[in-house]
Amino acid sequence: MRRQFLRLIEGRPRQQVRSALNFVDGESTKIISWNLLRRTGATVHDVVALIETEQPDILLMQEATDEIDMLPDLMGGYYARAPLPGRIHGVACWSRKPFARPPRACTIPSGAVVKRHAQIIDYGPFSLANVHLSHGQMLNRRQLRRIAALMPPPCAILGDFNLLGPTLVPGFHDVGPKAPTHKMVDLLPIRIDRCLVDGMTCLNARVLPVFASDHRPIAVRLKPLISALAKASHR
C-alpha cells in the first residue's frame, strides 16, 4: 500500500510526501470538539483538565472568550481564536503540532442577529472546519454547504451544528458519535455536536461525560484515506 501511494505522488515535494506518508503508515489524529458555554460554562482551567485527561491532538472550541487565550501559556502548543463579529465569543482551536498555515475565519451565510464564520484549519495532509452554526434549520444547512464547498478532501467539519436530523451535505459522511450531546431547554436530549468527513475514515467516536458546560464534548479519531491523500498531492 505504501509503494502504491508513492507511485501516485511521485514527483511531489519531499516534505509534502513525508507528511502524507505518516498517515499512510498508520498515524491517526484524535480530535475533540466542545462548546464551552461562554461566561458561565467551562473555564480555561476546565479546558486544561480536559486536555490532560483525554490527550487530544487537536481541540476545537465554540463560544470561546478571551479567557481561553491563556491556553497556550498553560499547555504550550499552537492556538488561534476567531471571535464572532460584535460578540465576546467565537471559535478557537488548539493543537499539539504546528498548523500548516495560520487558521482563517471564513464568512458564512448568517441570520439577522448573529453574524457567523467558520474557522478553517490546514494541517497539511488534511484540513478541518471548526463551526458554530445558526439555529435555523434551513440556514444551518446552507452554512454547511457553503463550508463544504471550500474544503477539498481529505477534510472534516466539526462543532456545534445546532442541527437536527440529516445534514444533507453531498459527499460528506456523518461519523460522529450518535449519543445526545445537549439537552434542549434542559429537558430533551439532542445530538447537535457533529463530525462530518470527506476522504477520511473514523476509527473511533464517543461522547465524553458532562463537564462544566451544557454541551458534552465529542471525541473522534480520524485518518485520511489513501485515495484522498493521493488526489490532494496533485492539487
Side-chain angles (χ1 to χ4, degrees), residues 19-29 125-126 222-224 229:
S19 180
L21 276 174
N22 288 336
F23 291 94
V24 174
D25 289 341
E27 183 175 317
S28 60
T29 303
F126 65 94
L222 303 180
K223 182 178 178 181
L229 284 173

Side-chain angles (χ1 to χ4, degrees), residues 4-188:
Q4 176 188 6
F5 180 70
L6 284 171
R7 285 200 301 269
L8 288 170
I9 64 173
E10 186 176 1
R12 305 305 295 174
R14 182 176 299 178
Q15 182 59 39
Q16 186 178 13
V17 171
R18 185 182 300 116
S19 180
L21 276 174
N22 288 336
F23 291 94
V24 174
D25 289 341
E27 183 175 317
S28 60
T29 303
K30 182 176 180 179
I31 306 169
I32 290 178
S33 174
W34 192 18
N35 184 320
L36 305 180
L37 182 59
R38 63 189 181 279
R39 286 183 172 167
T40 59
T43 67
V44 67
H45 299 291
D46 295 322
V47 174
V48 167
L50 179 71
I51 293 172
E52 290 177 338
T53 301
E54 292 293 331
Q55 295 293 308
D57 300 299
I58 301 164
L59 174 62
L60 306 178
M61 294 161 278
Q62 302 86 46
E63 297 199 23
T65 64
D66 57 2
E67 180 200 3
I68 307 302
D69 295 346
M70 297 169 53
L71 186 58
D73 296 328
L74 299 173
M75 289 298 296
Y78 302 85
Y79 171 83
R81 185 171 67 93
L84 299 181
R87 300 279 161 164
I88 66 167
H89 64 90
V91 286
C93 59
W94 175 89
S95 173
R96 293 188 185 279
K97 298 179 181 179
F99 308 116
R101 58 178 58 90
R104 58 191 175 93
C106 172
T107 301
I108 58 177
S110 298
V113 178
V114 181
K115 305 302 180 185
R116 300 197 182 254
H117 53 231
Q119 187 178 43
I120 308 297
I121 308 155
D122 186 353
Y123 282 96
F126 65 94
S127 59
L128 299 173
N130 179 17
V131 304
H132 186 189
L133 304 181
S134 297
H135 290 83
Q137 296 303 293
M138 293 180 65
L139 178 56
N140 56 30
R141 285 172 171 83
R142 282 181 55 213
Q143 292 168 341
L144 271 180
R145 289 194 295 271
R146 164 66 175 160
I147 295 162
L150 298 172
M151 303 185 67
C155 62
I157 305 172
L158 298 97
D160 180 355
F161 284 23
N162 278 316
L163 185 150
L164 303 175
T167 58
L168 306 177
V169 182
F172 281 76
H173 304 281
D174 188 342
V175 300
K178 306 309 180 190
T181 61
H182 180 65
K183 283 188 176 181
M184 184 184 294
V185 296
D186 292 327
L187 292 173
L188 179 65

